[in-house]
Amino acid sequence: MSLLTRRRLLRRAALSATAAGAARTGLASTTAAGVAATTVALGGCDSPPERTTDPEPDRGLRFPDGFAWGAATSAYQIEGAAKEDGRGESVWDTFSRTPGRIRNGDTGDVAADHYHRYAQDLDLMRDLGLRSYRFSISWPRIQADGSGRPNQRGLDFYRRLVDGLHERDIAPMATLFHWDLPQALQDAGGWENRDTAERFAEYADVVFRALGDRVPVWLTVNEPKTVVQNGYIWGHHAPGIRDEDAAYLVAHHLQLAHGLAVQALRATGLTGRIGPALNLHPCYPADDSAESAAASRLHDGYENRLYLDSIFKGAYPQDVVDDLGPDSRMVRGVRDGDLKIISSPVDLLAVQYYTPIYVTGDGGTVRKWPTSEAEWQQIYPEGMYDILTRVTRDYGRVPITITENGLPCPDVPGPDGNVDDAGRVAFLRDHFAAAHRAVGDGVPLESYHVWSLLDNFEWAEGYEQRWGLVYVDYASQRRVLKRSAHWYRDVIRRNGL
Ligand code: FCB
Protein backbone atom coordinates (compact mmCIF):
# COMPACT_ATOMS: atom_id res chain seq x y z
CA MET A 1 0.00 0.00 0.00
CA SER A 2 1.41 3.37 -0.94
CA LEU A 3 2.11 5.98 1.64
CA LEU A 4 -0.61 8.07 0.09
CA THR A 5 -3.19 5.34 0.53
CA ARG A 6 -2.07 4.81 4.07
CA ARG A 7 -2.39 8.51 4.77
CA ARG A 8 -5.90 8.42 3.44
CA LEU A 9 -6.59 5.37 5.58
CA LEU A 10 -5.39 7.18 8.65
CA ARG A 11 -7.36 10.27 7.76
CA ARG A 12 -10.51 8.23 7.32
CA ALA A 13 -9.88 6.47 10.60
CA ALA A 14 -9.41 9.88 12.16
CA LEU A 15 -12.82 10.90 10.98
CA SER A 16 -14.42 7.83 12.39
CA ALA A 17 -12.48 8.16 15.59
CA THR A 18 -13.46 11.73 16.18
CA ALA A 19 -16.88 12.07 14.80
CA ALA A 20 -17.69 14.60 17.48
CA GLY A 21 -14.92 16.66 15.96
CA ALA A 22 -16.22 15.80 12.53
CA ALA A 23 -19.67 16.97 13.51
CA ARG A 24 -18.15 20.25 14.63
CA THR A 25 -16.42 20.74 11.31
CA GLY A 26 -19.49 19.66 9.38
CA LEU A 27 -17.88 16.55 7.90
CA ALA A 28 -20.26 13.70 7.21
CA SER A 29 -19.63 10.34 8.77
CA THR A 30 -19.35 7.20 6.65
CA THR A 31 -22.02 4.77 7.71
CA ALA A 32 -22.30 1.60 5.65
CA ALA A 33 -25.76 1.71 4.20
CA GLY A 34 -28.07 -1.23 4.43
CA VAL A 35 -26.33 -3.06 7.21
CA ALA A 36 -28.83 -4.48 9.62
CA ALA A 37 -28.71 -2.58 12.89
CA THR A 38 -29.20 -5.60 15.04
CA THR A 39 -27.56 -4.05 18.06
CA VAL A 40 -29.73 -0.95 18.26
CA ALA A 41 -31.42 -2.22 21.38
CA LEU A 42 -28.05 -2.71 23.03
CA GLY A 43 -26.65 0.71 22.85
CA GLY A 44 -29.05 3.59 22.84
CA CYS A 45 -29.33 5.45 26.08
CA ASP A 46 -32.96 6.20 25.40
CA SER A 47 -34.20 2.69 26.18
CA PRO A 48 -37.36 2.71 28.28
CA PRO A 49 -36.55 3.37 31.91
CA GLU A 50 -36.77 0.49 34.32
CA ARG A 51 -36.75 0.77 38.11
CA THR A 52 -33.27 0.86 39.57
CA THR A 53 -34.35 -1.53 42.28
CA ASP A 54 -35.48 -4.31 39.90
CA PRO A 55 -33.02 -7.18 40.09
CA GLU A 56 -31.90 -8.59 36.75
CA PRO A 57 -33.07 -12.09 35.96
CA ASP A 58 -30.30 -14.55 36.74
CA ARG A 59 -28.81 -15.85 33.49
CA GLY A 60 -26.61 -18.31 35.30
CA LEU A 61 -23.39 -16.89 33.81
CA ARG A 62 -20.81 -17.09 36.61
CA PHE A 63 -17.23 -15.86 36.36
CA PRO A 64 -14.33 -17.82 37.89
CA ASP A 65 -13.91 -17.62 41.67
CA GLY A 66 -11.80 -14.65 42.65
CA PHE A 67 -12.67 -12.73 39.49
CA ALA A 68 -12.10 -9.06 40.30
CA TRP A 69 -14.82 -6.63 39.25
CA GLY A 70 -13.62 -3.06 39.19
CA ALA A 71 -13.85 0.41 37.75
CA ALA A 72 -11.28 2.72 36.19
CA THR A 73 -10.38 6.42 36.21
CA SER A 74 -7.37 8.57 35.38
CA ALA A 75 -5.72 11.41 37.23
CA TYR A 76 -6.26 14.38 34.93
CA GLN A 77 -9.84 13.34 34.23
CA ILE A 78 -11.01 13.32 37.86
CA GLU A 79 -8.55 14.88 40.32
CA GLY A 80 -8.75 18.63 39.77
CA ALA A 81 -6.56 20.50 42.29
CA ALA A 82 -4.39 21.46 39.36
CA LYS A 83 -2.22 23.87 41.30
CA GLU A 84 -2.12 22.26 44.72
CA ASP A 85 0.55 20.67 46.85
CA GLY A 86 3.38 21.28 44.44
CA ARG A 87 1.82 19.80 41.31
CA GLY A 88 3.51 20.98 38.12
CA GLU A 89 1.93 21.65 34.73
CA SER A 90 1.19 18.87 32.30
CA VAL A 91 0.63 18.93 28.55
CA TRP A 92 -3.08 18.60 29.24
CA ASP A 93 -3.09 21.78 31.36
CA THR A 94 -1.49 23.62 28.47
CA PHE A 95 -3.71 22.03 25.85
CA SER A 96 -7.00 22.50 27.67
CA ARG A 97 -6.22 26.14 28.37
CA THR A 98 -5.58 26.80 24.69
CA PRO A 99 -8.70 28.39 23.18
CA GLY A 100 -10.57 26.18 20.73
CA ARG A 101 -9.01 22.90 21.78
CA ILE A 102 -11.66 21.53 24.15
CA ARG A 103 -15.41 21.57 23.76
CA ASN A 104 -16.95 24.44 25.73
CA GLY A 105 -13.46 25.54 26.78
CA ASP A 106 -13.50 23.01 29.63
CA THR A 107 -10.33 22.18 31.57
CA GLY A 108 -9.36 19.61 34.21
CA ASP A 109 -8.66 22.34 36.79
CA VAL A 110 -11.49 21.12 39.05
CA ALA A 111 -12.83 18.02 37.25
CA ALA A 112 -14.64 15.75 39.75
CA ASP A 113 -12.58 17.28 42.58
CA HIS A 114 -11.45 13.79 43.50
CA TYR A 115 -8.20 15.10 45.01
CA HIS A 116 -10.29 16.56 47.83
CA ARG A 117 -13.16 14.07 47.80
CA TYR A 118 -11.22 10.83 47.45
CA ALA A 119 -12.42 9.51 50.83
CA GLN A 120 -16.05 9.89 49.79
CA ASP A 121 -15.24 8.27 46.45
CA LEU A 122 -13.58 5.36 48.24
CA ASP A 123 -16.78 4.87 50.21
CA LEU A 124 -18.74 4.81 46.97
CA MET A 125 -16.43 2.09 45.67
CA ARG A 126 -16.97 0.09 48.83
CA ASP A 127 -20.74 0.54 48.54
CA LEU A 128 -20.60 -0.76 44.98
CA GLY A 129 -18.66 -3.79 46.15
CA LEU A 130 -15.67 -3.15 43.87
CA ARG A 131 -12.80 -5.61 44.32
CA SER A 132 -10.32 -3.66 42.19
CA TYR A 133 -9.80 0.03 41.39
CA ARG A 134 -7.69 1.18 38.47
CA PHE A 135 -6.45 4.77 38.77
CA SER A 136 -3.49 6.67 37.39
CA ILE A 137 -0.71 8.60 39.05
CA SER A 138 -0.12 12.12 37.88
CA TRP A 139 3.55 12.43 36.93
CA PRO A 140 3.60 16.24 37.49
CA ARG A 141 2.34 15.71 41.07
CA ILE A 142 5.37 13.51 41.73
CA GLN A 143 7.94 15.47 39.73
CA ALA A 144 6.67 18.93 38.85
CA ASP A 145 9.12 19.27 35.96
CA GLY A 146 9.38 15.61 35.11
CA SER A 147 12.70 14.86 36.74
CA GLY A 148 14.68 15.18 39.94
CA ARG A 149 13.65 15.15 43.57
CA PRO A 150 10.13 13.82 44.13
CA ASN A 151 7.39 15.93 45.65
CA GLN A 152 6.48 14.21 48.92
CA ARG A 153 3.02 15.82 49.06
CA GLY A 154 2.16 14.23 45.72
CA LEU A 155 3.33 10.82 46.88
CA ASP A 156 1.40 11.25 50.12
CA PHE A 157 -1.85 11.75 48.24
CA TYR A 158 -1.48 8.40 46.46
CA ARG A 159 -0.39 6.78 49.70
CA ARG A 160 -3.63 7.91 51.34
CA LEU A 161 -5.60 6.66 48.35
CA VAL A 162 -3.92 3.26 48.32
CA ASP A 163 -4.27 2.86 52.10
CA GLY A 164 -7.94 3.80 51.81
CA LEU A 165 -8.44 1.11 49.17
CA HIS A 166 -6.86 -1.54 51.35
CA GLU A 167 -8.99 -0.46 54.32
CA ARG A 168 -12.03 -1.15 52.15
CA ASP A 169 -10.70 -4.43 50.80
CA ILE A 170 -10.27 -3.09 47.25
CA ALA A 171 -7.12 -3.99 45.31
CA PRO A 172 -5.26 -0.99 43.85
CA MET A 173 -4.17 -1.12 40.21
CA ALA A 174 -2.01 1.89 39.36
CA THR A 175 -1.27 3.25 35.88
CA LEU A 176 1.98 5.19 35.72
CA PHE A 177 1.17 7.30 32.67
CA HIS A 178 -2.30 8.26 31.49
CA TRP A 179 -1.19 11.04 29.10
CA ASP A 180 -0.39 13.89 31.53
CA LEU A 181 3.26 14.39 30.58
CA PRO A 182 4.99 17.15 32.56
CA GLN A 183 5.04 20.24 30.35
CA ALA A 184 8.74 20.79 31.05
CA LEU A 185 9.48 17.48 29.33
CA GLN A 186 7.29 18.45 26.39
CA ASP A 187 9.31 21.66 26.12
CA ALA A 188 12.40 19.46 25.83
CA GLY A 189 10.90 17.49 22.93
CA GLY A 190 8.32 15.31 24.68
CA TRP A 191 7.99 11.75 23.40
CA GLU A 192 9.91 12.63 20.24
CA ASN A 193 12.92 12.87 22.53
CA ARG A 194 14.34 9.49 23.51
CA ASP A 195 15.41 10.94 26.88
CA THR A 196 11.75 11.14 27.92
CA ALA A 197 11.70 7.34 28.12
CA GLU A 198 14.66 7.48 30.51
CA ARG A 199 12.94 10.15 32.61
CA PHE A 200 9.85 7.94 32.73
CA ALA A 201 11.86 5.01 34.09
CA GLU A 202 13.28 7.25 36.84
CA TYR A 203 9.81 8.52 37.73
CA ALA A 204 8.51 4.94 37.76
CA ASP A 205 11.32 3.93 40.11
CA VAL A 206 10.36 6.73 42.52
CA VAL A 207 6.74 5.60 42.52
CA PHE A 208 7.60 1.91 42.91
CA ARG A 209 9.76 2.64 45.93
CA ALA A 210 7.12 4.87 47.54
CA LEU A 211 4.04 2.73 46.93
CA GLY A 212 5.29 -0.67 45.80
CA ASP A 213 4.63 -2.37 49.13
CA ARG A 214 0.91 -1.69 48.71
CA VAL A 215 0.24 -1.84 44.95
CA PRO A 216 -0.01 -5.39 43.59
CA VAL A 217 -0.51 -4.46 39.92
CA TRP A 218 1.13 -1.74 37.83
CA LEU A 219 0.28 -0.63 34.33
CA THR A 220 2.94 1.27 32.43
CA VAL A 221 1.64 3.45 29.57
CA ASN A 222 -2.08 3.88 28.94
CA GLU A 223 -2.99 3.45 25.27
CA PRO A 224 0.25 4.48 23.56
CA LYS A 225 -1.69 4.34 20.29
CA THR A 226 -3.99 7.15 21.36
CA VAL A 227 -1.03 9.42 22.05
CA VAL A 228 0.36 8.49 18.62
CA GLN A 229 -2.86 8.98 16.69
CA ASN A 230 -4.82 11.62 18.61
CA GLY A 231 -1.84 13.53 19.96
CA TYR A 232 0.55 13.40 16.99
CA ILE A 233 -1.34 12.52 13.79
CA TRP A 234 -4.71 14.23 14.14
CA GLY A 235 -3.69 16.72 16.80
CA HIS A 236 -6.93 16.85 18.73
CA HIS A 237 -5.29 15.61 21.94
CA ALA A 238 -2.29 17.09 23.71
CA PRO A 239 0.27 18.01 22.56
CA GLY A 240 -1.79 18.83 19.47
CA ILE A 241 0.80 17.98 16.82
CA ARG A 242 0.06 16.83 13.26
CA ASP A 243 3.14 15.03 12.06
CA GLU A 244 2.83 11.41 11.07
CA ASP A 245 6.57 10.84 10.86
CA ALA A 246 7.03 12.15 14.39
CA ALA A 247 4.03 10.11 15.55
CA TYR A 248 5.64 6.73 14.92
CA LEU A 249 8.89 7.76 16.56
CA VAL A 250 6.69 8.64 19.55
CA ALA A 251 5.20 5.13 19.31
CA HIS A 252 8.68 3.69 19.66
CA HIS A 253 9.70 5.89 22.57
CA LEU A 254 6.46 5.19 24.46
CA GLN A 255 7.16 1.49 24.11
CA LEU A 256 10.75 1.97 25.18
CA ALA A 257 9.42 3.79 28.25
CA HIS A 258 7.16 0.83 28.94
CA GLY A 259 10.04 -1.64 28.75
CA LEU A 260 12.35 0.49 30.90
CA ALA A 261 9.64 0.76 33.55
CA VAL A 262 9.19 -3.02 33.58
CA GLN A 263 12.95 -3.37 34.12
CA ALA A 264 12.88 -0.70 36.84
CA LEU A 265 10.24 -2.62 38.78
CA ARG A 266 12.23 -5.84 38.54
CA ALA A 267 15.35 -4.00 39.74
CA THR A 268 13.59 -2.96 42.96
CA GLY A 269 12.99 -6.60 43.91
CA LEU A 270 9.33 -5.84 44.60
CA THR A 271 6.85 -8.60 43.94
CA GLY A 272 4.20 -6.48 42.19
CA ARG A 273 3.03 -7.47 38.73
CA ILE A 274 3.31 -5.18 35.71
CA GLY A 275 2.06 -4.94 32.13
CA PRO A 276 1.00 -2.58 29.32
CA ALA A 277 -2.50 -1.10 28.90
CA LEU A 278 -3.42 -1.35 25.21
CA ASN A 279 -6.57 -0.24 23.44
CA LEU A 280 -7.09 -2.99 20.91
CA HIS A 281 -9.43 -2.72 17.96
CA PRO A 282 -10.52 -5.86 16.15
CA CYS A 283 -10.20 -5.01 12.44
CA TYR A 284 -12.47 -6.67 9.90
CA PRO A 285 -12.63 -6.40 6.11
CA ALA A 286 -15.67 -4.29 5.20
CA ASP A 287 -16.62 -6.69 2.40
CA ASP A 288 -15.58 -9.98 0.81
CA SER A 289 -12.98 -8.55 -1.58
CA ALA A 290 -9.31 -9.50 -1.49
CA GLU A 291 -8.52 -5.76 -1.36
CA SER A 292 -10.49 -5.30 1.86
CA ALA A 293 -8.81 -8.31 3.40
CA ALA A 294 -5.34 -6.92 2.59
CA ALA A 295 -6.18 -3.41 3.77
CA SER A 296 -7.72 -4.74 6.96
CA ARG A 297 -4.61 -6.79 7.68
CA LEU A 298 -2.35 -3.72 7.38
CA HIS A 299 -4.79 -1.68 9.45
CA ASP A 300 -4.56 -4.37 12.13
CA GLY A 301 -0.79 -3.91 12.01
CA TYR A 302 -1.09 -0.22 12.83
CA GLU A 303 -3.88 -0.65 15.37
CA ASN A 304 -2.79 -3.78 17.24
CA ARG A 305 0.35 -5.62 16.18
CA LEU A 306 2.55 -2.52 16.35
CA TYR A 307 2.03 -2.61 20.13
CA LEU A 308 1.59 -6.37 20.70
CA ASP A 309 4.33 -7.92 18.57
CA SER A 310 6.96 -5.62 20.04
CA ILE A 311 6.10 -6.52 23.63
CA PHE A 312 5.26 -10.20 23.20
CA LYS A 313 7.44 -11.19 20.23
CA GLY A 314 10.31 -8.72 20.46
CA ALA A 315 9.90 -7.38 16.90
CA TYR A 316 7.83 -4.73 15.16
CA PRO A 317 5.48 -6.23 12.55
CA GLN A 318 7.27 -6.41 9.22
CA ASP A 319 4.32 -5.19 7.14
CA VAL A 320 4.12 -2.00 9.21
CA VAL A 321 7.90 -1.49 9.10
CA ASP A 322 7.84 -1.94 5.31
CA ASP A 323 4.91 0.41 4.99
CA LEU A 324 6.62 3.09 7.06
CA GLY A 325 9.72 2.71 4.92
CA PRO A 326 13.42 2.83 5.78
CA ASP A 327 13.52 6.63 5.92
CA SER A 328 10.83 6.98 8.58
CA ARG A 329 12.00 8.53 11.84
CA MET A 330 10.72 5.52 13.72
CA VAL A 331 12.60 2.94 11.70
CA ARG A 332 15.76 5.05 11.93
CA GLY A 333 15.15 5.63 15.66
CA VAL A 334 15.18 2.00 16.74
CA ARG A 335 18.59 1.16 18.26
CA ASP A 336 20.16 -2.22 18.88
CA GLY A 337 18.75 -3.69 22.06
CA ASP A 338 15.59 -1.54 22.11
CA LEU A 339 13.29 -4.41 21.23
CA LYS A 340 14.88 -6.52 23.92
CA ILE A 341 13.99 -3.82 26.46
CA ILE A 342 10.47 -3.45 25.07
CA SER A 343 9.89 -7.19 25.22
CA SER A 344 11.02 -7.54 28.84
CA PRO A 345 8.67 -10.22 30.18
CA VAL A 346 5.43 -8.82 31.58
CA ASP A 347 3.05 -10.41 34.08
CA LEU A 348 -0.21 -9.46 32.44
CA LEU A 349 -1.81 -7.65 29.54
CA ALA A 350 -4.43 -4.96 30.14
CA VAL A 351 -6.95 -4.79 27.30
CA GLN A 352 -9.20 -1.80 26.64
CA TYR A 353 -12.00 -2.50 24.20
CA TYR A 354 -14.51 0.00 22.87
CA THR A 355 -15.11 -0.53 19.16
CA PRO A 356 -14.38 -2.61 16.07
CA ILE A 357 -13.01 -1.15 12.80
CA TYR A 358 -14.22 -2.15 9.32
CA VAL A 359 -11.71 -1.52 6.56
CA THR A 360 -12.54 -1.09 2.86
CA GLY A 361 -10.39 -2.11 -0.08
CA ASP A 362 -9.08 1.41 -0.58
CA GLY A 363 -7.98 1.62 3.04
CA GLY A 364 -10.95 3.65 4.26
CA THR A 365 -13.19 2.72 7.15
CA VAL A 366 -16.94 2.34 7.40
CA ARG A 367 -19.42 1.82 10.19
CA LYS A 368 -21.58 -1.24 10.43
CA TRP A 369 -23.16 -0.86 13.83
CA PRO A 370 -24.90 1.92 15.70
CA THR A 371 -22.59 4.39 17.33
CA SER A 372 -22.77 5.80 20.81
CA GLU A 373 -22.58 9.49 21.74
CA ALA A 374 -18.87 9.05 21.04
CA GLU A 375 -19.36 8.57 17.33
CA TRP A 376 -16.04 6.75 16.98
CA GLN A 377 -17.59 3.97 19.03
CA GLN A 378 -19.62 1.31 17.23
CA ILE A 379 -21.48 -0.89 19.63
CA TYR A 380 -20.39 -4.44 18.94
CA PRO A 381 -20.03 -6.71 21.99
CA GLU A 382 -18.84 -9.60 19.81
CA GLY A 383 -15.66 -7.58 19.21
CA MET A 384 -14.81 -8.12 22.88
CA TYR A 385 -14.92 -11.88 22.38
CA ASP A 386 -12.92 -11.64 19.16
CA ILE A 387 -10.13 -9.51 20.56
CA LEU A 388 -9.75 -11.54 23.76
CA THR A 389 -9.62 -14.89 22.00
CA ARG A 390 -7.31 -13.53 19.31
CA VAL A 391 -4.80 -12.19 21.82
CA THR A 392 -4.72 -15.53 23.63
CA ARG A 393 -4.36 -17.41 20.35
CA ASP A 394 -1.60 -15.22 18.91
CA TYR A 395 0.37 -14.21 22.00
CA GLY A 396 -0.01 -17.10 24.44
CA ARG A 397 -1.76 -17.48 27.75
CA VAL A 398 -0.64 -14.25 29.40
CA PRO A 399 -3.15 -13.29 32.13
CA ILE A 400 -5.53 -10.61 30.89
CA THR A 401 -7.31 -7.82 32.71
CA ILE A 402 -9.87 -5.64 31.01
CA THR A 403 -8.98 -2.16 32.19
CA GLU A 404 -11.52 -0.18 30.18
CA ASN A 405 -14.89 -0.77 28.55
CA GLY A 406 -17.89 1.49 28.76
CA LEU A 407 -20.41 3.76 27.08
CA PRO A 408 -21.18 7.50 27.21
CA CYS A 409 -24.85 8.35 27.75
CA PRO A 410 -26.69 11.68 27.93
CA ASP A 411 -27.45 11.10 31.60
CA VAL A 412 -29.76 13.51 33.37
CA PRO A 413 -31.30 13.01 36.81
CA GLY A 414 -35.05 12.48 36.59
CA PRO A 415 -37.66 14.24 38.77
CA ASP A 416 -37.03 11.63 41.49
CA GLY A 417 -33.30 12.36 41.34
CA ASN A 418 -32.44 8.96 39.84
CA VAL A 419 -30.32 8.60 36.72
CA ASP A 420 -31.83 5.90 34.57
CA ASP A 421 -29.04 4.83 32.21
CA ALA A 422 -30.70 1.67 30.94
CA GLY A 423 -28.61 1.84 27.75
CA ARG A 424 -25.39 1.54 29.75
CA VAL A 425 -26.81 -1.46 31.64
CA ALA A 426 -27.63 -3.19 28.34
CA PHE A 427 -24.20 -2.34 26.89
CA LEU A 428 -22.31 -3.68 29.90
CA ARG A 429 -24.47 -6.77 30.16
CA ASP A 430 -23.75 -7.72 26.55
CA HIS A 431 -20.02 -7.04 26.88
CA PHE A 432 -19.82 -9.01 30.14
CA ALA A 433 -21.58 -11.91 28.40
CA ALA A 434 -19.05 -11.76 25.52
CA ALA A 435 -16.17 -11.78 28.03
CA HIS A 436 -17.77 -14.71 29.83
CA ARG A 437 -17.88 -16.66 26.59
CA ALA A 438 -14.20 -15.89 25.99
CA VAL A 439 -13.36 -17.21 29.47
CA GLY A 440 -15.29 -20.38 28.64
CA ASP A 441 -13.16 -20.73 25.52
CA GLY A 442 -9.93 -20.58 27.49
CA VAL A 443 -9.04 -16.88 27.79
CA PRO A 444 -7.24 -16.34 31.13
CA LEU A 445 -9.23 -13.24 32.09
CA GLU A 446 -8.86 -12.25 35.72
CA SER A 447 -10.63 -8.93 36.13
CA TYR A 448 -12.86 -6.36 34.43
CA HIS A 449 -12.81 -2.60 35.01
CA VAL A 450 -15.70 -0.53 33.74
CA TRP A 451 -14.81 2.86 32.30
CA SER A 452 -15.57 4.82 34.33
CA LEU A 453 -16.26 5.03 38.05
CA LEU A 454 -17.25 8.69 37.82
CA ASP A 455 -18.36 11.10 35.11
CA ASN A 456 -15.22 13.02 34.21
CA PHE A 457 -13.24 15.23 31.84
CA GLU A 458 -13.42 13.33 28.56
CA TRP A 459 -10.40 14.97 26.91
CA ALA A 460 -11.35 16.99 23.80
CA GLU A 461 -15.03 16.47 24.63
CA GLY A 462 -14.69 18.17 27.99
CA TYR A 463 -17.54 17.38 30.38
CA GLU A 464 -20.12 16.88 27.66
CA GLN A 465 -19.84 13.09 27.49
CA ARG A 466 -20.72 11.21 30.67
CA TRP A 467 -19.07 7.80 30.99
CA GLY A 468 -19.51 7.15 34.72
CA LEU A 469 -21.38 4.57 36.75
CA VAL A 470 -21.72 7.47 39.16
CA TYR A 471 -23.23 10.77 38.05
CA VAL A 472 -21.33 13.90 39.02
CA ASP A 473 -23.23 17.16 39.36
CA TYR A 474 -20.26 19.42 38.58
CA ALA A 475 -21.85 22.53 40.10
CA SER A 476 -22.23 20.97 43.55
CA GLN A 477 -19.86 17.98 43.09
CA ARG A 478 -22.68 15.79 44.37
CA ARG A 479 -22.43 12.14 43.34
CA VAL A 480 -25.48 10.03 42.39
CA LEU A 481 -25.29 6.30 41.75
CA LYS A 482 -26.79 5.73 38.33
CA ARG A 483 -29.03 2.79 37.61
CA SER A 484 -26.00 1.04 36.08
CA ALA A 485 -24.14 1.35 39.40
CA HIS A 486 -26.98 -0.38 41.26
CA TRP A 487 -27.09 -3.05 38.58
CA TYR A 488 -23.29 -3.49 38.68
CA ARG A 489 -23.45 -4.03 42.45
CA ASP A 490 -25.77 -6.97 41.81
CA VAL A 491 -23.44 -8.36 39.13
CA ILE A 492 -20.53 -8.19 41.56
CA ARG A 493 -22.51 -9.86 44.35
CA ARG A 494 -23.50 -12.64 42.02
CA ASN A 495 -20.07 -12.78 40.33
CA GLY A 496 -21.76 -12.76 36.99
CA LEU A 497 -24.99 -12.31 35.12
C1 FCB B 1 -9.92 5.77 26.53
C2 FCB B 1 -9.10 6.54 27.54
C3 FCB B 1 -9.89 6.99 28.73
C4 FCB B 1 -11.26 7.50 28.33
C5 FCB B 1 -11.98 6.49 27.46
C6 FCB B 1 -13.37 6.88 27.05
O1 FCB B 1 -9.31 5.83 25.29
O2 FCB B 1 -8.01 5.76 27.99
O3 FCB B 1 -9.15 7.96 29.42
O4 FCB B 1 -11.14 8.71 27.70
O5 FCB B 1 -11.22 6.24 26.31
Side-chain angles (χ1 to χ4, degrees):
M1 183 177 295
S2 72
L3 191 66
L4 201 71
T5 311
R6 188 162 56 79
R7 289 230 165 91
R8 196 168 62 229
L9 177 157
L10 287 164
R11 219 172 20 248
R12 293 283 290 276
L15 290 183
S16 62
T18 61
R24 269 204 301 275
T25 52
L27 292 164
S29 63
T30 49
T31 303
V35 177
T38 51
T39 55
V40 165
L42 299 174
C45 292
D46 48 358
S47 325
E50 299 163 20
R51 293 180 41 194
T52 31
T53 47
D54 279 350
E56 283 270 308
D58 191 339
R59 298 171 160 212
L61 300 183
R62 295 290 176 276
F63 282 69
D65 285 349
F67 192 82
W69 296 97
T73 62
S74 89
Y76 189 72
Q77 294 180 275
I78 63 165
E79 285 179 1
K83 293 188 191 296
E84 273 171 67
D85 291 345
R87 177 186 179 278
E89 300 270 300
S90 83
V91 293
W92 271 96
D93 294 295
T94 309
F95 193 72
S96 63
R97 289 173 196 158
T98 307
R101 291 299 204 177
I102 311 292
R103 193 179 280 261
N104 304 323
D106 291 338
T107 73
D109 284 357
V110 178
D113 197 31
H114 171 77
Y115 191 77
H116 299 117
R117 294 168 199 266
Y118 72 94
Q120 177 194 349
D121 291 338
L122 286 168
D123 286 345
L124 278 176
M125 295 180 218
R126 183 199 50 211
D127 294 348
L128 279 173
L130 297 192
R131 305 312 311 261
S132 179
Y133 174 53
R134 181 216 175 199
F135 61 98
S136 84
I137 293 173
S138 157
W139 187 348
R141 274 197 204 286
I142 308 303
Q143 292 174 314
D145 293 331
S147 62
R149 227 176 113 243
N151 169 27
Q152 192 56 44
R153 286 176 296 171
L155 289 170
D156 288 347
F157 168 69
Y158 294 106
R159 187 81 199 177
R160 292 194 295 276
L161 181 69
V162 164
D163 286 347
L165 287 166
H166 282 291
E167 280 158 22
R168 292 163 182 82
D169 216 10
I170 302 168
M173 182 183 278
T175 308
L176 291 164
F177 179 70
H178 202 122
W179 306 346
D180 43 359
L181 185 74
Q183 182 60 43
L185 293 185
Q186 187 63 40
D187 296 341
W191 290 111
E192 287 178 68
N193 183 350
R194 191 181 166 95
D195 283 350
T196 301
E198 304 283 349
R199 297 291 80 73
F200 179 71
E202 288 165 11
Y203 149 71
D205 178 68
V206 166
V207 176
F208 294 149
R209 288 179 196 281
L211 303 172
D213 58 331
R214 309 227 74 196
V215 174
V217 179
W218 298 97
L219 303 174
T220 53
V221 175
N222 179 70
E223 298 190 355
K225 182 173 67 188
T226 308
V227 178
V228 171
Q229 296 182 346
N230 296 24
Y232 279 86
I233 296 180
W234 311 322
H236 59 256
H237 275 193
I241 290 168
R242 289 176 181 228
D243 180 343
E244 199 180 322
D245 206 17
Y248 290 104
L249 183 63
V250 164
H252 178 58
H253 291 156
L254 283 164
Q255 299 197 61
L256 194 59
H258 154 84
L260 289 169
V262 172
Q263 295 191 342
L265 179 68
R266 306 300 185 214
T268 62
L270 288 159
T271 54
R273 299 192 299 153
I274 191 163
L278 304 179
N279 54 329
L280 300 177
H281 292 83
C283 295
Y284 308 97
D287 54 53
D288 289 340
S289 67
E291 290 78 13
S292 287
S296 161
R297 172 84 189 147
L298 180 59
H299 207 105
D300 174 70
Y302 278 99
E303 292 288 337
N304 303 313
R305 286 180 284 114
L306 182 58
Y307 307 92
L308 287 165
D309 284 14
S310 45
I311 292 173
F312 293 102
K313 297 184 172 174
Y316 284 123
Q318 197 56 46
D319 55 346
V320 173
V321 171
D322 290 346
D323 193 65
L324 287 169
D327 295 334
S328 86
R329 285 179 72 192
M330 176 189 170
V331 173
R332 286 185 289 123
V334 178
R335 297 191 191 160
D336 281 354
D338 283 1
L339 267 307
K340 199 157 185 315
I341 295 169
I342 293 171
S343 60
S344 302
V346 294
D347 304 298
L348 77 171
L349 167 65
V351 173
Q352 318 200 148
Y353 170 70
Y354 287 98
T355 189
I357 297 179
Y358 294 87
V359 187
T360 55
D362 66 358
T365 58
V366 291
R367 303 206 176 108
K368 293 213 175 200
W369 305 104
T371 53
S372 73
E373 263 199 336
E375 287 182 39
W376 51 264
Q377 181 181 33
Q378 299 178 60
I379 296 157
Y380 185 58
E382 202 55 25
M384 172 71 91
Y385 175 86
D386 287 352
I387 202 69
L388 291 175
T389 49
R390 181 263 176 107
V391 162
T392 299
R393 191 172 58 240
D394 291 355
Y395 299 96
R397 290 184 51 81
V398 57
I400 297 178
T401 168
I402 293 167
T403 40
E404 290 188 25
N405 172 242
L407 181 79
C409 296
D411 301 320
V412 192
D416 58 358
N418 288 328
V419 181
D420 217 336
D421 57 341
R424 181 172 289 110
V425 170
F427 174 96
L428 291 175
R429 183 205 297 127
D430 292 328
H431 284 75
F432 292 175
H436 183 268
R437 206 153 65 76
V439 171
D441 288 345
V443 171
L445 183 67
E446 55 180 48
S447 56
Y448 199 125
H449 302 79
V450 172
W451 183 270
S452 179
L453 176 69
L454 303 168
D455 289 340
N456 60 50
F457 176 82
E458 175 50 22
W459 311 113
E461 300 303 324
Y463 296 99
E464 190 122 322
Q465 286 179 7
R466 292 182 174 271
W467 290 79
L469 294 163
V470 177
Y471 181 87
V472 176
D473 173 37
Y474 293 110
S476 65
Q477 290 294 348
R478 208 165 59 87
R479 274 78 164 131
V480 180
L481 297 192
K482 299 179 193 175
R483 176 199 172 85
S484 57
H486 294 282
W487 170 83
Y488 192 37
R489 182 166 47 197
D490 290 342
V491 170
I492 296 171
R493 270 202 204 118
R494 205 181 251 170
N495 193 25
L497 298 169

